[in-house]
Structures are given as C-alpha cells and as structure tokens.
Amino acid sequence: MTPRPALFLISTAGSLLLASAAIADPRAQIRGEMDAELRAQLIRAVGEVDDAPSNRFEARRRARGAMEAAEALLRSEGYYQPVLEDIVEGEETPVAIVNVTPGRRFELAEVQVLWAEPPPDEVTGTAVRGEIGLTPGQPGRAGDIISAEGRIVAGLTRRGYADAAAQPRRVVVDHAAFTVQPSFRIASGPLVRLDGVRLETRGPTNPDWVAALAPWSEGEVYDPEDVAELERRLLETGVYDGVGVALAPTDQTNAEGNRPIIVTLTDRPRRILEAGATFSTAEGSGVDLIWTWHNQFGRADTLVWQARAADVDSRLGVALSLPHWRHPGETLRLSGALLNEDTDAYRRTAVALAADLQQRLGKTSWVSYGVGLDAGQYDENRFDPVTQAPVNFNRDLVILTGRASAYLDRSNDPLDPTTGWRLSASAQPTAVAGEDTVLFLRTEAQATAYLPLQDGAKTVLAGRVRIGSIFGGEELTVPSDRLFYSGGGGSVRGFEYQGVGPRLPDNTPRGGLSLFETSVEIRRDVWRNFQAVAFVDAGAIGFQETPNFNNLRYGAGLGVRYKLPFGPIRADIAFPLDRRDGDADFQIYVSIGQAF
C-alpha cells in the first residue's frame, strides 16, 4: 500500500506539473519534413510562451522571432542552406508557424591546427592533435568545433604549457562542396617549470608548512592536477573559509626559469563556540557544548573541547587533529575523555585515551591505524550461558586496543548519495586487564550501495549490509561495551537503542559475539526539495563467532527528507514488525543526512 503522505505529495506535484503544462504554449509551431530528433531540437530552441497571441501582429512577431531561433539552431547543427518561412494562420485565433526545410547537412573537412610561435614540442603537438576528436565526414556542428578547440588548449595545459590560449579561429563553409573546415590558431606559450610555494596572505599559518604540502619538486613541469591537489590538501583541513592556488604571472619567473605557485588563504574564525541538542525516542535526548580552536600551532590544526550531557553517553573531552602530519594526506588524531555511559545493557565510568594516524587515499577514501587505552568501572548485567541465569558484574578494567580500519568511498555525495558504493572495515585486537584478563579480536565490515532508478536520480534504491564477529573471547569475559548490539536510528529502525536481540529477565539487552544487519530503502523526490522514503531494516545478534541468521528481527517505516545545500534533514518513523513485550509501538528519528 502506498503511504498516504507520499500519495498526497505525489498527487500535489503531479497537479502542479499538469497545470504548468496546460499554461505553456509553443512560441510557434514547427512544420516541415525532418527527423524526429531535429524537430525536437527546433521545438526546444523556439521555446514556450504563457499565452496565445492576441492578434495577427503579435503572431507575426512571434513567428519571426521563432524563425531566427530556428535558423541559429540549424546552423549550429550543420545545416547552412535551410529554407525557412514565417507564417500566420487564422483570424480570430491566429497561430504562429515556422515552415522549415533543413536542406543538406554539411560535413567536416580536414581539420587544421596552426601554432603560433613558439610551437609546442613535437611529441606534445602530436599528442594534442590526437585528442581533437573531429573526424572528416562527421556532421559539421558548431558545438563540436568549439569543444575540440577547448580540448587542444586543455591538452597543452595538462602537459605543462600553462599559458596556452586559443586565438581567433577560422571556419570555412563551402556551399558548393557542403563542407565545414575549421582552422584552429593556438598559442601554446613556453613550457612552464615550477618553483616553490609563496603564501601571500597574513595569518597564523606557517608558510614553510604550506610549502611542504606541494606535490612537486622545484624544476618539475607544471601539471594542473598537482596544483589542484595542493588546493585539496589545504581545503580538507577544514580551517579555511577560502583557498586560492594559482600559477604566478610570467613576469615572476625566477632566474632559473621557474615560476612559483601563489597561495592565498581566508581563515575561519579562530574560536567557534557551538551548542546542539539531539532527540530520539530510541536513544533519549542530549545537549552538547563544543568549543573549537583553529590553527593554534600554525599548521591548520583543530583543537575541540566538548561537554555532553545525555541520557546514554555523557562526557568531557578534548581532541586534537593535526592534518598532513608526516606526509601529505596523513592526519594525526589525539583524544582524551571522561565518560559516563548509561545504557540498558551496562553502565560504565571511564577515562579513554586514543591516538590514530589516518592516511587519505584519493579524495574521500582512507586507511587508519592507532591505539586506545580505556580504564574504568563497569556495572554489567550479563547472561551466563552455562547456568542459563542472569549475573551481575561490578569490575574495574583496563583495556588496551589496537585500532585498524579502512574506508573506500565510490559514491557521489557524502550526505546524499544517489549512485556508487561504499565499503568500510575495522579490526581491533584487544587486551583486557584488571579484575579479568582476556585477549580477543573484534572485527566489523559494512557495505552500502546506491542505484538510481530514473534519469536525474529522482528515485534511488539504497542498500546496506553490516556484519561483525568477535574471535577469542567469551560472552561473559568480553567487556559489555565491546559486545555487539543492534537497534536504533543507525541500525534497525523501529527498535529502541540496543533493542534487537534476546533480553534478560529484567529486560536488559544481551550483547553478543556476532552481528548481522541489513537495510533497503526507496528514496523518491516528490515535490521541490522534499523526498519521501520507505524502508525495511533487519538485524540479529548471535552468541557464537559466526553471525546467526535464524533470529532476525525486522522493522519498517516511512520517512521524509528536506534537501538543503549541505545535505538532507531526515525524519523517520519506524515500526517493529515482530514486536515483543517491552518493545515500543514505534520509534521516531530526526537527524542530518541520509540513514546510510
């Protein structure tokens, strides 16, 4: 059954489209013998008007304007001998008409490329000519000719001729031979070699640190991709509102014949104080206070102080991010926090320290490795699989964790993907000391995929699979916060936080040694910035190392997305399909970004 809100939105959007179609009229009718594709192009070129002409004079004016637009379109498509006639029919209700006889389509003749002095080297010249993409005999479209000229200049630029430019081209239209012959006049300029980086704006950023980010050595041939990479490296730090990276003018060439790259930076505010609130029927409410310091050490660093008071996770913490630590793309992250977690499954008060190195791969993918040290007191209600009875633990533990993870992103948008896929994986070898001693390995992986079902991604099918296993530990010895749980806005919607899986007699969630989750969503643009969503989630907690697919629990629901420039705002309502005693009838989730 189609949800009523979705029906309302779809019907409203449909009514608006029908109304707009009824109001719009073509500026003039197109008549004549031609193929369907050319006729469609002419109709688009002629355009539409809001109402019919009020008299023959107005109809004649529209017909002549439409004829001029049609002639321009025909010439751009290679029809240089068309016959066009503007016609007006009718007295009471005049109709503007353009009668079109396209004539023979002209074809491309041999293309000429003429170099201004000095020409590029022979290898570059030959390579660039091979990228023109124009073949004698193909239709003589003006757009193809202009695009080919752009490819010549772009090809020279990619090969180090940074000052390459097109001079006025010459196009000969031969009406006897029905051919179009373009002659491109290109000034390549000299081959450019690079010097270092010059920072031209004042601010806290250390110029030597910026210079070390350059992906080239002094004397290397100019490559626009290298310049773009330097810009990306500066932007990804997140501490600048604007970054400018450009080749210096020719008059700034040094004695060795090299030219520097000029960098300009617009700094974000040095101190930013933010407050936020969250609410979920599954995870409760919370308030955050975040104080961010930018560029304290002159190397695009970020220092974040955080205070959070929440039903589930309260903390006082600080985190330092040092981008491009030892190598470009490598980020060192240091963090420390005082934690107080109060979940249905356990309560924990602890100190947590962590250090991680993350290396970017490409634009959005990365690998990370590091270490974490936690020390705290645990209050746990657990299940003894031997006695089949609940048991309570109060123990002090010190946990040393190795942290390795990878994230591969081949989607088209971080907050609102419509095509592509993502893959993440992590492994955490863990040693526990204190009142218990145990060694185990916690592993987890997730894959998501996005498939557009219509042109323009108006409808998108999205899917997610998550799997996890703990090797070497037992259910009773592994600390509660390292076990797997499922349920909530980021996993199986419709169930409360940690609400999927068996429970103890006192309704405490029983954590497991394995996890399986999957989700399917249909996302449909319905009206302006609104999107309707229908979804089904499933998840299971297992008590062996391998995931258990026999106790899957399902949730389903509907959602609305309101798309903003930075990403969608999400509101979902979800229902458990196999509700047990203690499960709520429904759950509501509000956040920024898609569910996955």
Side-chain angles (χ1 to χ4, degrees):
M1 180 180 292
T2 305
R4 292 183 182 273
L7 276 174
F8 171 75
L9 290 173
I10 292 170
S11 63
T12 302
S15 299
L16 290 173
L17 290 172
L18 288 172
S20 63
I23 291 173
D25 287 318
R27 183 161 57 155
Q29 294 182 10
I30 299 296
R31 294 183 182 176
E33 295 294 328
M34 67 198 76
D35 62 65
E37 181 181 354
L38 180 58
R39 184 181 299 277
Q41 289 178 294
L42 287 168
I43 291 172
R44 287 195 296 269
V46 165
E48 297 176 337
V49 292
D50 292 338
D51 50 18
S54 58
N55 52 55
R56 289 181 62 84
F57 176 79
E58 175 65 19
R60 177 68 65 183
R61 187 180 66 82
R62 291 186 182 184
R64 288 177 179 171
M67 185 175 68
E68 292 174 0
E71 183 176 19
L73 183 279
L74 289 167
R75 292 179 66 84
S76 71
E77 288 295 311
Y79 297 94
Y80 287 93
Q81 293 181 348
V83 177
L84 299 101
E85 182 182 8
D86 58 296
I87 302 171
V88 175
E89 291 183 351
E91 296 293 338
E92 295 291 333
T93 56
V95 177
I97 300 166
V98 178
N99 194 62
V100 179
T101 303
R104 180 173 171 179
R105 194 176 214 175
F106 284 46
E107 297 178 348
L108 284 175
E110 191 69 35
V111 178
Q112 295 183 347
V113 178
L114 307 175
W115 302 112
E117 293 295 333
D121 65 85
E122 185 176 348
V123 172
T124 298
T126 301
V128 169
R129 286 175 182 270
E131 296 173 354
I132 291 176
L134 296 180
T135 304
Q138 76 181 67
R141 295 188 183 94
D144 292 344
I145 294 171
I146 295 171
S147 297
E149 184 178 71
R151 286 192 290 273
I152 296 173
V153 174
L156 289 168
T157 303
R158 287 197 309 273
R159 293 169 174 83
Y161 293 88
D163 303 312
Q167 296 180 346
R169 77 185 78 88
R170 183 169 180 260
V171 180
V172 177
V173 179
D174 189 332
H175 286 263
F178 297 98
T179 60
V180 179
Q181 184 179 45
S183 295
F184 300 116
R185 302 172 185 272
I186 307 296
S188 66
L191 184 67
V192 175
R193 296 186 180 275
L194 294 177
D195 194 14
V197 174
R198 188 168 73 231
L199 181 61
E200 287 203 341
T201 50
R202 293 185 178 181
T205 302
N206 186 336
D208 293 336
W209 178 79
V210 175
L213 297 182
W216 65 82
S217 301
E218 184 177 346
E220 284 189 14
V221 173
Y222 169 84
D223 185 341
E225 276 301 312
D226 286 344
V227 176
E229 175 63 19
L230 175 58
E231 183 177 22
R232 279 193 294 267
R233 290 175 181 180
L234 290 167
L235 281 171
E236 73 181 10
T237 64
V239 307
Y240 304 112
D241 277 336
V243 173
V245 180
L247 181 67
T250 55
D251 59 5
Q252 297 186 24
T253 303
N254 64 17
E256 290 75 28
N258 303 332
R259 285 160 64 180
I261 294 294
I262 297 174
V263 173
T264 56
L265 302 173
T266 303
D267 294 291
R268 296 185 66 187
R270 299 289 303 281
R271 302 283 190 272
I272 299 177
L273 183 62
E274 301 170 280
T278 59
F279 172 76
S280 166
T281 55
E283 301 172 31
S285 57
V287 177
D288 283 275
L289 190 65
I290 299 173
W291 195 17
T292 303
W293 297 3
H294 288 138
N295 229 347
Q296 282 292 110
F297 308 111
R299 52 170 343 278
D301 49 275
T302 300
L303 185 64
V304 178
W305 306 86
Q306 181 186 25
R308 178 194 297 167
D311 293 337
V312 171
D313 178 10
S314 299
R315 64 178 58 205
L316 290 173
V318 60
L320 175 63
S321 175
L322 298 171
H324 311 301
W325 172 240
R326 294 174 304 178
H327 312 287
E330 182 184 69
T331 300
L332 173 65
R333 291 187 171 90
L334 306 172
S335 63
L338 296 174
L339 308 174
N340 182 54
E341 293 179 288
D342 188 356
T343 74
D344 290 342
Y346 63 88
R347 288 183 295 276
R348 178 173 77 124
T349 303
V351 176
L353 304 174
D356 294 279
L357 276 173
Q358 179 179 294
Q359 178 65 53
R360 176 169 62 84
L361 305 175
K363 294 181 180 180
T364 56
S365 303
W366 47 262
V367 294
S368 175
Y369 59 93
V371 64
L373 179 65
D374 294 26
Q377 185 179 65
Y378 286 75
D379 182 2
E380 306 165 278
N381 292 322
R382 307 292 289 275
F383 179 79
D384 190 334
V386 177
T387 64
Q388 299 290 302
V391 60
N392 178 261
F393 289 159
N394 282 287
R395 50 182 179 167
D396 295 327
L397 299 176
V398 177
I399 305 174
L400 180 65
T401 305
R403 298 143 64 103
S405 59
Y407 179 70
L408 187 59
D409 185 359
R410 292 296 181 267
S411 66
N412 63 331
D413 190 279
L415 288 177
D416 188 18
T418 58
T419 184
W421 53 270
R422 298 170 181 169
L423 179 64
S424 62
S426 67
Q428 298 180 348
T430 303
V432 180
E435 297 184 24
D436 277 305
T437 302
V438 62
L439 297 173
F440 62 90
L441 174 65
R442 189 181 195 272
T443 62
E444 188 175 337
Q446 176 168 286
T448 59
Y450 312 93
L451 177 65
L453 302 181
Q454 286 181 307
D455 291 341
K458 291 184 179 297
T459 302
V460 175
L461 175 66
R464 176 184 73 95
V465 175
R466 179 185 174 204
I467 193 168
S469 291
I470 294 176
F471 301 94
E474 298 180 357
E475 183 184 342
L476 272 181
T477 58
V478 174
S480 293
D481 65 316
R482 306 305 166 102
L483 294 172
F484 288 107
Y485 302 89
S486 183
S491 57
V492 182
R493 287 163 287 184
F495 295 91
E496 64 184 13
Y497 181 61
Q498 300 178 337
V500 171
R503 291 177 173 270
L504 304 185
D506 64 355
N507 218 33
T508 298
R510 180 184 171 189
L513 297 177
S514 61
L515 165 75
F516 175 79
E517 289 178 354
T518 186
S519 300
V520 176
E521 280 194 355
I522 291 287
R523 304 168 184 170
R524 168 68 179 174
D525 293 341
V526 290
W527 185 59
R528 294 187 179 178
N529 292 334
F530 284 94
Q531 185 180 67
V533 175
F535 57 85
V536 177
D537 298 339
I541 296 297
F543 305 101
Q544 305 297 323
E545 293 177 348
T546 56
N548 185 352
F549 302 100
N550 296 324
N551 60 350
L552 282 170
R553 305 196 65 202
Y554 300 88
L558 305 171
V560 175
R561 310 288 184 265
Y562 182 73
K563 294 187 177 182
L564 295 170
F566 59 84
I569 295 177
R570 171 170 70 103
D572 290 335
I573 181 169
F575 307 88
L577 299 185
D578 48 354
R579 191 168 69 89
R580 304 171 301 187
D581 290 341
D583 288 337
D585 292 334
F586 62 89
Q587 301 286 349
I588 295 175
Y589 311 93
V590 179
S591 64
I592 295 176
Q594 297 286 4
F596 56 88

